[in-house]
């Protein structure tokens, strides 16, 4: 599994669809995931450290795990099926340590991982299939790279079947 960092959330033009961009930690590939508006806001809030007056859904799930004495160990982005990314929440050891692995939407998994502070990973195969390589970029200019990337990409660039991307 390859660790990923969340670079940010932005709205793709001209479709006005939110996108979250993940970057391979020790590599040059990026994984763009189109998400819904509410999920984009949840991810952005977590990145910015915004604490709502009442728990949002992802805050609630984090609180439930904490209160029940369970631990989210990591989030895995596992596959791309019909243009939709799928993820798994590994709880109390997940697939490797006898705990539970729970199916999740990738956007919810990312929002929860940011709140809990756990690693987000993807398989090499998924990065090969859906990752976008950007060679020769400066590490300290990630936000500008993200903006430039979004200005030149559309959901159709990653559509692997006859279904529209989501």
């Amino acid at each position: 599994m390859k660790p990923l960092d969340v670079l940010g959330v932005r709205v793709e033009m001209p479709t006005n669809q939110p996108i979250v961009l993940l970057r391979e930690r020790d590599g040059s590939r990026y994984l763009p995931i189109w998400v819904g508006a509410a999920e984009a806001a949840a991810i952005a809030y977590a990145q910015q450290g915004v604490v709502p007056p009442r728990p949002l859904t992802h805050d609630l799930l984090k609180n439930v795990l904490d209160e029940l004495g369970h631990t989210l160990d990591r989030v895995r982005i596992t596959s791309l099926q019909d243009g939709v990314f799928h993820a798994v929440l590994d709880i109390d050891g997940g697939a490797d340590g006898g705990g539970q692995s729970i199916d999740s939407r990738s956007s919810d998994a990312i929002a929860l991982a940011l709140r809990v502070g756990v690693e987000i990973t993807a398989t090499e195969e998924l990065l090969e299939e859906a990752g976008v390589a950007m060679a020769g970029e400066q590490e300290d200019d990630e936000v500008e790279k993200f903006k430039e990337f979004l200005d030149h990409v559309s959901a159709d660039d990653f559509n692997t079947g006859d279904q529209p991307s989501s």
Side-chain angles (χ1 to χ4, degrees):
M1 299 298 287
K2 300 279 189 164
L4 304 171
D5 294 317
V6 179
L7 294 186
V9 177
R10 185 154 174 217
V11 175
E12 177 199 24
M13 294 300 190
T15 65
N16 290 328
Q17 186 170 0
I19 182 174
V20 60
L21 188 64
L22 305 172
R23 184 192 67 199
E24 180 181 23
R25 188 170 297 152
D26 297 320
S28 62
R29 292 175 292 190
Y30 293 75
L31 193 62
I33 300 177
W34 279 261
V35 299
E39 293 79 8
I43 291 167
Y45 286 166
Q47 278 199 301
Q48 297 167 6
V50 173
V51 179
R54 301 289 302 145
L56 299 176
T57 303
H58 304 99
D59 302 306
L60 175 63
L61 183 52
K62 175 193 179 300
N63 293 344
V64 167
L65 286 170
D66 290 344
E67 288 299 317
L68 294 175
H70 295 286
T71 303
L72 177 66
D73 297 311
R74 72 176 171 173
V75 162
R76 293 182 284 134
I77 311 296
T78 56
S79 65
L80 177 63
Q81 298 172 16
D82 297 324
V84 177
F85 286 93
H86 294 256
V88 172
L89 307 174
D90 286 334
I91 298 174
D92 296 337
D96 302 330
Q100 297 292 314
S101 294
I102 300 172
D103 186 41
S104 174
R105 296 187 311 173
S106 58
S107 56
D108 290 331
I110 292 165
L112 184 59
L114 290 171
R115 282 165 174 73
V116 175
V118 298
E119 188 171 68
I120 300 167
T121 64
T123 64
E124 176 64 33
E125 294 78 19
L126 180 61
L127 287 168
E128 282 292 322
E129 175 185 357
V132 177
M134 292 190 202
E137 305 282 352
Q138 296 285 330
E139 285 296 318
D140 59 352
D141 197 22
E142 290 177 356
V143 173
E144 288 305 315
K145 289 187 293 187
F146 185 34
K147 289 177 184 176
E148 182 178 335
F149 171 79
L150 292 175
D151 289 340
H152 297 96
V153 70
S154 74
D156 293 335
D157 293 336
F158 302 97
N159 193 0
T160 59
D162 295 331
Q163 304 265 357
S165 290
S166 349

